[in-house]
């Protein structure tokens, strides 16, 4: 009942046209609703989609021009929308209890938080776009229920363009492919299966105890299509990888007729362009991370194909997608040796050092959590998320060094500003740690030091694990950013 790999045509999510463009910015409107989609051939799968689509429509914003997005919630649960990687004021950042209640009645529980701003029906999120070109994404961020909401489809791209990026001559148009990678599980009727204690995510815990380490599926989707094939020209392609999976980490590698050929040329990281391109044979990509890459197919001939595989998977989770060269075309794109000027956060200027431990532990009983003495969860410095308590206080403009340690796999993500990786396990960062990161993958028993600096906006922001089941089971902390 599952399709053969590399038989279904690949697609990219449609770009959303603004409803209106005026002096205030570009105005968009998105309706969150249930929809039925054919994901597996011959099956009608119910999803929750932004505009009923999975992935949601792509927003293409321009640096310096605000994107003002009105979300309307026609689902039957509260939602929260976060722009991941966005340099966003706190009131639009999608704090997990800043609920957007559905238009109609919601039966679902909401966490009581006196500081939260709860609205019903529609909410306007304002994204100033005051940041360099980057591959961002938006997704649900509701407290305790991010996992099931993203699993059902609430995720999409938000790309920021700028003159630096456009002036480089990189592949663009049809040769600029945002690729949202995720894994899903389906039942015999083709419906998405999320192992929740309360399957509708209305009242109880989002994920059942057996799956608190993270929910994975056996079907790999690229832009919502299982194991697609993309017909391509013998040319350079910009592949913008996003791992939107709840919990799966991938090791992407190119497998083709020129095995020893260049592999991936990384040009950008979570927060935008690198200073110079880097050749990578393989890319480890954890939930939340993005890698902006070029794959150069100019030496290939019609009939050749290149498969992108996941070396951490086996069987069905090994295959990802195939690029099938079916034509020759001219290619005037370039990959310049210098990409962007990157400011380096100088650790010598740091005013503070912090140690942050990411570990499993006992969940406290809290109102709105069905915790208890024997309920395990994921903790940061021994504490589970609690909106009423600031965990870290940081001042605008100050450089800090954070040492992150763990005894399990955690992709650690910070809101408001990206950071720079200084060390891994006491040594130089890995090849994939370059540039501005907003999510760092820490495999079990590893540690990293990162340089952090907040700019622009004060308020409460999140530090959390981007394994969505860890996030939903406590692994978030409040960062209070002050003047
Ligand atoms: Cu992509 Cu706080 O999340
Ligand atoms: Cu985690």
């Amino acid at each position: 009942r599952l399709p053969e790999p590399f038989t279904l045509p690949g697609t990219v999510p449609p770009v959303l046209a603004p409803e209106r463009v005026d002096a205030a910015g570009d105005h968009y409107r998105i309706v969150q609703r249930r929809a039925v989609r054919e994901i597996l051939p011959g099956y009608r799968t119910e999803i929750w989609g932004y505009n009923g689509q999975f992935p949601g429509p792509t927003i293409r914003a321009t640096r310096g021009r605000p994107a003002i997005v009105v979300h309307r919630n026609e689902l039957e649960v509260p939602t929260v929308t976060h722009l991941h990687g966005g340099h966003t004021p706190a009131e639009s950042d999608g704090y997990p209890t800043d609920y957007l209640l559905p238009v109609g009645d919601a039966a679902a529980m909401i966490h009581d938080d006196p500081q939260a701003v709860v609205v019903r029906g529609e909410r306007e999120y304002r994204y100033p776009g005051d940041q360099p070109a980057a591959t961002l994404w938006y997704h649900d961020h509701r407290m305790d229920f991010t996992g099931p909401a993203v699993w059902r489809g609430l995720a999409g791209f938000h790309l920021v363009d700028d003159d630096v990026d456009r002036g480089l001559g990189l592949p663009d148009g049809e040769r600029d492919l945002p690729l949202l990678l995720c894994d899903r599980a389906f039942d015999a009727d083709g419906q998405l299966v999320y192992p929740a204690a309360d399957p509708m995510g209305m009242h109880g815990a989002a994920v059942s105890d057996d799956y608190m380490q993270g929910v994975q599926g056996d079907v790999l989707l690229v832009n919502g299509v299982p194991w697609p094939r993309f017909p391509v020209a013998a040319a350079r392609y910009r592949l913008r990888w996003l791992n939107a999976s709840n919990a799966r980490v991938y090791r992407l590698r190119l497998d083709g007729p020129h095995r020893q050929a260049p592999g991936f040329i990384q040009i950008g990281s979570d927060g935008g362009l690198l200073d110079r391109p880097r050749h990578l044979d393989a890319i480890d990509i954890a939930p939340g991370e993005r890698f902006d890459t070029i794959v150069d197919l100019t030496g290939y001939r019609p009939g050749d194909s290149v498969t992108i595989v996941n070396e951490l998977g086996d069987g069905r989770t090994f295959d990802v997608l195939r690029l099938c060269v079916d034509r020759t075309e001219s290619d005037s794109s370039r990959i310049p040796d210098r990409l962007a000027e990157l400011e380096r956060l100088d650790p010598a200027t740091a005013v503070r050092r912090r140690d942050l431990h990411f570990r499993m532990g006992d969940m406290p009983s809290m109102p709105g959590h069905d915790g208890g003495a024997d309920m395990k969860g994921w903790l940061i410095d021994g504490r589970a998320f609690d909106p009423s308590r600031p965990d870290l206080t940081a001042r605008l403009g100050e450089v800090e060094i954070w040492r992150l340690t763990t005894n399990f796999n955690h992709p650690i993500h910070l809101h408001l500003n990206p950071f720079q990786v200084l060390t891994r396990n006491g040594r130089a960062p890995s090849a994939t740690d370059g540039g501005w990161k907003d999510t760092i993958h820490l495999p079990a028993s590893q540690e990293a030091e990162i340089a952090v600096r907040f700019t622009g906006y004060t308020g409460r922001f999140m530090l959390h694990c981007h394994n969505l089941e860890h996030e939903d089971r406590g692994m978030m902390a409040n960062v209070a950013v002050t003047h």
Side-chain angles (χ1 to χ4, degrees), residues 249-304:
V249 180
Y250 304 79
R251 177 168 298 154
L252 303 174
R253 191 185 288 273
L254 293 170
D255 194 359
H258 307 290
R259 269 202 89 114
Q260 301 315 318
F264 296 104
I265 303 164
Q266 189 193 357
I267 54 165
S269 185
D270 302 333
L273 291 166
L274 300 181
D275 54 351
R276 46 179 64 239
R278 272 182 194 234
H279 291 268
L280 297 175
D281 289 332
I283 295 176
D284 282 11
I285 183 169
E289 287 189 294
R290 285 89 70 212
F291 282 88
D292 197 346
T293 65
I294 307 285
V295 170
D296 188 347
L297 302 176
T298 49
Y300 289 69
R301 288 189 301 272
D304 285 345

Side-chain angles (χ1 to χ4, degrees), residues 213 358 378 408-412 465-467 470-471 475:
Q213 296 202 336
F358 292 76
W378 298 98
F408 194 85
N409 280 284
H410 299 293
I412 295 162
C465 179
H466 220 288
N467 175 312
H470 298 187
E471 166 176 346
M475 201 167 250

